Amino acid sequence: MQPKTQMPSGDASKGHWMRTLVLNAGYEPLGVVSFKRALTLVLNNKATVLEPAEQQFHSASQEFELPSVILLSRYVRIPRSRMIPLTRRGVLRRDNHRCAYCNRSANTIDHVQPKSRGGQDTWENLVACCLKCNNLKSDKTLTEIGWQLRFIPRMPSGASWTVRGAEHLEPQWDDYLAAA
């Protein structure tokens, strides 16, 4: 029989409550997991808590500090490259959901060099775009319509892009992500 657990107050019951940064044995950030997964790793001696959160988790017979940052006991090899996959959501996030042409709120993406003119699906050729600018630009080049980009589009970098699940950073993670 499993012990009853008491969920902490707040948004915990909705699943929005606590996330934990996981560091490899060499202190390299690996990803972000739920507090339940982090607590399981700690209880099974597969990780140690480096930064506890202020909240606690209660079972029928025990009380645990929830971890904000954990360090794996063994080094995990990462075969994947640190290339950031190109997605529509990623382009919008990189551009802060602002149109690359007029700076209004953007909910579409545009090929700077149109696909019909040989433009590729790359970080350097895709930008966030508002619907109005996307329709006005159509399949024209920037030179043809006299427009300019507000910035030079590039593949994003930084820990929040290479660490899985770190789209929304917690303040306790800053020191650990700065080295990434």
Side-chain angles (χ1 to χ4, degrees):
M1 184 172 176
Q2 291 185 344
K4 285 186 177 179
T5 54
Q6 178 183 4
M7 294 297 287
S9 61
D11 287 337
S13 61
K14 299 174 189 162
H16 303 295
W17 188 62
M18 183 70 195
R19 299 172 315 129
T20 302
L21 177 64
V22 179
L23 303 178
N24 211 342
Y27 287 82
E28 173 192 17
L30 288 179
V32 177
V33 298
S34 70
F35 77 91
K36 290 179 183 180
R37 176 69 178 134
L39 200 54
T40 301
L41 289 168
V42 171
L43 291 174
N44 289 324
N45 295 320
K46 293 183 179 185
T48 56
V49 178
L50 293 181
E51 293 280 337
E54 295 175 9
Q55 296 84 4
Q56 294 187 337
F57 185 79
H58 303 276
S59 73
S61 60
Q62 290 182 300
E63 188 174 287
F64 304 98
E65 278 189 331
L66 293 179
S68 179
V69 180
I70 61 173
L71 177 69
L72 294 179
S73 302
R74 300 184 109 167
Y75 186 80
V76 176
R77 248 180 173 217
I78 305 167
R80 61 183 162 86
S81 71
R82 290 293 182 163
M83 289 286 294
I84 296 144
L86 177 64
T87 62
R88 177 185 180 279
R89 185 174 165 191
V91 171
L92 289 169
R93 183 176 152 219
R94 176 200 65 191
D95 298 350
N96 204 24
H97 291 269
R98 306 303 300 173
C99 180
Y101 305 116
C102 71
N103 203 31
R104 284 193 294 248
S105 180
N107 55 5
T108 66
I109 59 171
D110 179 58
H111 289 82
V112 177
Q113 177 70 29
K115 282 186 95 167
S116 62
R117 310 274 184 97
Q120 301 293 311
D121 290 334
T122 63
W123 283 107
E124 295 76 18
N125 193 46
L126 291 171
V127 293
C129 189
C130 70
L131 188 58
K132 183 178 180 182
C133 287
N134 207 340
N135 287 332
L136 286 171
K137 184 174 173 288
S138 187
D139 68 344
K140 299 175 189 83
T141 65
L142 297 180
T143 309
E144 290 174 344
I145 55 177
W147 287 7
Q148 289 185 329
L149 289 170
R150 294 182 308 106
F151 60 91
I152 298 170
R154 293 189 174 99
M155 183 173 73
S157 61
S160 68
W161 289 92
T162 57
V163 177
R164 287 192 150 201
E167 290 85 21
H168 305 286
L169 303 178
E170 300 292 332
Q172 303 93 322
W173 302 350
D174 289 347
D175 291 340
Y176 302 98
L177 294 175

